[in-house]
Amino acid sequence: MTTTPSVPTALHPLRAEGTRGRTPAPLARLWRGRPDDPRWARPALLGLLLATAALYLWNLSASGYANSFYSAAVQAGSRSWQALFFGSLDAGNAITVDKPPAALWPMALSVRLFGLNSWAILVPQVLMGVATVGVLHAAVRRRFSPAAGLIAGAVLALTPVAALMFRFNNPDALLALLMTVTVYCVLRALEHGRTKWLVWAGVAVGFAFLTKTLQAFLILPPLAVLYAVCAPVRPRKRLGQLALSAGAMVVAGGWWVAIVELWPASSRPYIGGSQNNSFLELTFGYNGLGRINGEETGSVGGGGGPGGGGGGGQWGETGIGRMFNSEIGGQISWLLPAALVLLVAGLVLTRKARRTDTARAAFVAWGSSLLMTAAVFSFMAGIFHQYYTVALAPYIAALVGMGATVLWEERAKWWACGVLGAAVVGTSLWAYVLLGRTPDHLPWLRWTVLIAGLVAAVALLFAGRAGRHLALTAAGLGLAASVAGPVAYTLSTVDSAHTGSIVTAGPASAGRMGGPGGGGPGGGRPGGGQQGAPQGGLPGGGGAGNGNGNGNGTGPGKGPGSGTTPGQGGRGGGMRGGMGGLLDGAQVSAKAKKLLETDAGDYTWAAAAIGSQNAASYQLATGDPVMAIGGFNGSDPAPTLAQFKRYVADGEIHYFIAGGMGGMGGAGGSSEITSWVESTFEKVTVGSATFYDLTAPEK
């Protein structure tokens, strides 16, 4: 197999796998890597993976239970296998989270093994981050050079939003890993037209669907078209392989859905986020088309201007510049301009290659995944949070690694040096702008990055005619200038605690929303950090934040129903008063904890509270099930007033916790329950928190 003369020297065909002659011992092969790799390649990869793990583990426990919404579901899953399977918020199985449960399963199993603590909840995400770096390196390295794989892996690890989400317990960490695995498997299938790799890609997408529903399908259209056009097998076989892959996807993602839909509703938890107790409704409504058009039934309203034409709204401004604006830019866009430039350069370099060329396929696969996902994120009018952009990080990193090394191999051509220099200049200028948005954070860095980038760009123009050492110095300076900004934001991220429903990477003002954009895992408004410090010294979030969504501020606020202990702050502490309880849980005092724990074993639920965050705080504090009335937003019609009265009559709930959302845009069940409880049962005050004893009717 040969390539056409126009294909650059860096894009030779794949080398044959394996070794000739005697196969080295497994440990030796692990250390040495491929026979034709330079001696530094495998140690450098292992060093990258270890460094990523160390970076992401640093200061990990400072985030405590991170997002209590998911931590409560993890705690429930560690106590009840039924709660684990369905993704219930409590071990009593009243209602589920508003996502499918795949991301909860690793955390719940970890808690079963190691007990309920911050590390048991968050380390699985760290391992997912390390695995994503490893898979990305493998995908890029197979077709390009060891340096390309290392650059791609390092860029991913040092992306601020990646450092945030691979240390947090939202579903996005597992989703990013599975999307990277999907592209890897498609590229493997394109090498020799092997069916098994395309089937594995379908399996990865299926499990990604069980992680975050329809977001898993964003990259399917371009990848399917790519394989249909470029696979090195007959057209009829390509279509059959794609059909098998689709079948694998349906099986991998549909088995759980089928069980849930066929299971009698009376004996399973209510599907949180839906209005009709249907996972299919949740998938295609609240978590599906509603995210696109902004009409999420049971949520709090839509986003940008009509048709996504750039107007402002609850979830931030929509339009083509969304990934670069003041809310999103510092999270993900540092190397986005360079990735787009290098994508074009890679496609130009491979324009005359044969149809089945795997180098061009790699640029198309990563580039189309980036463009498709970014386009949907830019124009979706529904719920959108800054941390969603972690899905873009592997695509950007792959394009940077591939494009930079391919152009470097072609540096003898003046235009290749010019493109490299332009990419470095553009990245440095954009970093200068982004760093200017946080002027109090390392104010010297923006000028250093700009000057270093300009010097490196000029030097790169002569890289093809300079000596090897000078050329490598110019390349190293350009790389350092390009990643200095994201590195600074990443270090700020790992050195900070992050709690609540909305979190952002970087220093305090890096993710400031331009209006009330943001929201909880399934809805809500911006601001993010919640109250509710877990027991045992784990920090809570919330407080009087500044709307940035991080959990490392210094606000002293108390949550609704708090005792006497102030929260430990929470950059982006959210909106108090009427909004308390949507993004902010409760600070649970020792007296309130003792009250709920008394005779808790005699009841299915120690208490019931409006909204998931409020309920989660008490559940994590006591370890006993707490019913979340109305789900995340307090607007799900579960339970109804009649159902709640039946639970009370049967002696299944001990206390009702006053406060919380009281229902937002839902059927009003939570408000009706609150009114009935307040008029029927005896009030118990513990500090500033109010409870109603459902076993003691008011005299």
Side-chain angles (χ1 to χ4, degrees), residues 205-222:
V205 174
F207 276 98
F209 174 82
L210 291 182
T211 301
K212 212 173 178 189
T213 58
L214 296 185
Q215 187 176 334
F217 296 163
L218 291 183
I219 65 175
L220 282 189

Side-chain angles (χ1 to χ4, degrees), residues 4-91:
T4 59
S6 63
V7 179
T9 57
L11 303 182
H12 286 312
L14 286 165
R15 302 178 178 91
E17 294 186 63
T19 59
R20 296 179 181 177
R22 184 194 300 182
T23 301
L27 288 178
R29 189 172 183 181
L30 176 66
W31 182 254
R32 286 191 234 160
R34 298 182 182 185
D36 52 355
D37 273 351
R39 298 186 65 175
W40 54 264
R42 187 49 60 94
L45 168 60
L46 297 176
L48 171 63
L49 297 179
L50 289 174
T52 302
L55 177 68
Y56 289 175
L57 288 171
W58 175 262
N59 199 36
L60 186 65
S61 62
S63 295
Y65 291 144
N67 189 341
S68 294
F69 176 67
Y70 291 118
S71 290
V74 168
Q75 184 269 345
S78 71
R79 298 276 299 273
S80 163
W81 289 110
Q82 184 178 3
L84 175 70
F85 178 80
F86 287 108
S88 300
L89 279 162
D90 62 89

Side-chain angles (χ1 to χ4, degrees), residues 23-397:
T23 301
L27 288 178
R29 189 172 183 181
L30 176 66
W31 182 254
R32 286 191 234 160
R34 298 182 182 185
D36 52 355
D37 273 351
R39 298 186 65 175
W40 54 264
R42 187 49 60 94
L45 168 60
L46 297 176
L48 171 63
L49 297 179
L50 289 174
T52 302
L55 177 68
Y56 289 175
L57 288 171
W58 175 262
N59 199 36
L60 186 65
S61 62
S63 295
Y65 291 144
N67 189 341
S68 294
F69 176 67
Y70 291 118
S71 290
V74 168
Q75 184 269 345
S78 71
R79 298 276 299 273
S80 163
W81 289 110
Q82 184 178 3
L84 175 70
F85 178 80
F86 287 108
S88 300
L89 279 162
D90 62 89
N93 290 291
I95 192 170
T96 71
V97 297
D98 56 4
K99 301 287 186 297
L104 301 173
W105 293 338
M107 292 184 281
L109 294 175
S110 174
V111 170
R112 278 182 177 267
L113 289 173
F114 303 108
L116 181 64
N117 59 76
S118 181
W119 276 66
I121 292 173
L122 299 180
V123 166
Q125 278 65 243
V126 172
L127 297 178
M128 291 173 196
V130 175
T132 306
V133 170
V135 173
L136 181 66
H137 174 276
V140 173
R141 170 66 187 96
R142 280 191 65 80
R143 191 57 185 82
F144 299 88
S145 65
L150 289 171
I151 292 173
V155 168
L156 171 60
L158 295 173
T159 301
V161 72
L164 172 71
M165 295 315 296
F166 287 128
R167 293 161 44 85
F168 203 72
N169 60 335
N170 278 19
D172 300 78
L174 180 58
L175 181 72
L177 170 59
L178 290 170
M179 293 292 90
T180 306
V181 169
T182 299
V183 179
Y184 171 81
C185 290
V186 171
L187 293 177
R188 288 294 300 268
L190 282 165
E191 291 173 9
H192 305 293
R194 292 179 179 172
T195 303
K196 71 173 184 178
W197 286 109
L198 207 59
V199 169
W200 280 118
V203 171
V205 174
F207 276 98
F209 174 82
L210 291 182
T211 301
K212 212 173 178 189
T213 58
L214 296 185
Q215 187 176 334
F217 296 163
L218 291 183
I219 65 175
L220 282 189
L223 292 182
V225 171
L226 173 65
Y227 192 85
V229 172
C230 298
V233 292
R234 297 185 305 275
R236 185 173 180 179
K237 185 175 182 180
R238 291 177 226 163
L239 295 178
Q241 290 173 321
L242 287 170
L244 286 174
S245 180
M249 178 186 70
V250 171
V251 172
W255 65 273
W256 183 87
V257 178
I259 292 174
V260 171
E261 289 297 304
L262 294 173
W263 197 295
S266 60
S267 60
R268 64 160 170 78
Y270 186 93
I271 303 301
S274 74
Q275 298 300 299
N276 297 311
N277 199 11
S278 168
F279 181 78
L280 292 178
E281 180 219 327
L282 173 67
T283 299
F284 294 102
Y286 183 63
N287 279 339
L289 296 178
R291 300 292 172 119
I292 303 299
N293 58 27
E295 298 177 2
E296 301 102 331
T297 303
S299 183
V300 291
Q314 288 200 93
W315 315 115
E317 187 173 299
T318 60
I320 195 170
R322 191 180 207 178
M323 297 299 101
F324 301 95
N325 66 23
S326 59
E327 294 89 37
I328 311 299
Q331 309 299 299
I332 189 63
S333 72
W334 300 87
L335 290 167
L336 180 53
L340 296 175
V341 170
L342 294 172
L343 169 61
V344 173
L347 294 176
V348 170
L349 282 167
T350 57
R351 68 190 184 282
K352 295 183 180 180
R354 62 179 59 188
R355 174 183 61 83
T356 58
D357 182 69
T358 52
R360 180 173 57 199
F363 277 106
V364 173
W366 296 110
S368 60
S369 297
L370 170 63
L371 294 174
M372 178 66 77
T373 307
V376 172
F377 284 175
S378 295
F379 291 96
M380 58 187 287
I383 296 170
F384 180 78
H385 307 315
Q386 299 98 315
Y387 61 78
Y388 288 1
T389 57
V390 69
L392 304 175
Y395 314 144
I396 293 173

